[in-house]
Amino acid sequence: MVGAGIAGVASGFRYLSQYAYGSTHWGKTSVWWVRCGAMANVISIGLAIGSFAAFFVGGLAAYHAVVVPS
C-alpha cells in the first residue's frame, strides 16, 4: 500500500517536472525553471525506485506470511 502511495507522488513530481520544462517566459526558457524541472525529475525517479522497493518488500512479506510456516 505504501508503494502505491509513493508511486502516486512520483507521478505528481513527473507532472511538475514537465510543467517546469514547458514553462516559458516570452519565448525563452528560464534557467531557474530548467533546474526546477531537473530536480523534480530526480525526485520522481527516486520515488519510483522507492515504490518498486516497497512493492517487492511487501510481496516478500506476503509470501512469508502465506507460504513459509512459522
Side-chain angles (χ1 to χ4, degrees), residues 2-3 5 9 17 19 24 26-27 34 37 44 47 55-56 63 65 67:
V2 172
V9 174
S17 72
Y19 175 78
T24 59
W26 290 302
V34 172
S44 175
L47 288 170
F55 173 78
F56 289 121
Y63 171 78
V67 175

Side-chain angles (χ1 to χ4, degrees), residues 1-7 46-62:
M1 203 160 129
V2 172
I6 294 171
L47 288 170
I49 291 170
S51 173
F52 283 121
F55 173 78
F56 289 121
V57 168
L60 185 62

Side-chain angles (χ1 to χ4, degrees), residues 13-64:
F13 271 99
R14 180 65 62 178
Y15 280 108
L16 288 174
S17 72
Q18 292 305 307
Y19 175 78
Y21 287 142
S23 293
T24 59
H25 187 65
W26 290 302
K28 291 176 66 178
T29 301
S30 168
V31 174
W32 186 83
W33 279 110
V34 172
R35 287 183 183 161
C36 287
M39 182 59 76
N41 194 23
V42 168
I43 292 170
S44 175
I45 291 168
L47 288 170
I49 291 170
S51 173
F52 283 121
F55 173 78
F56 289 121
V57 168
L60 185 62
Y63 171 78
H64 284 290

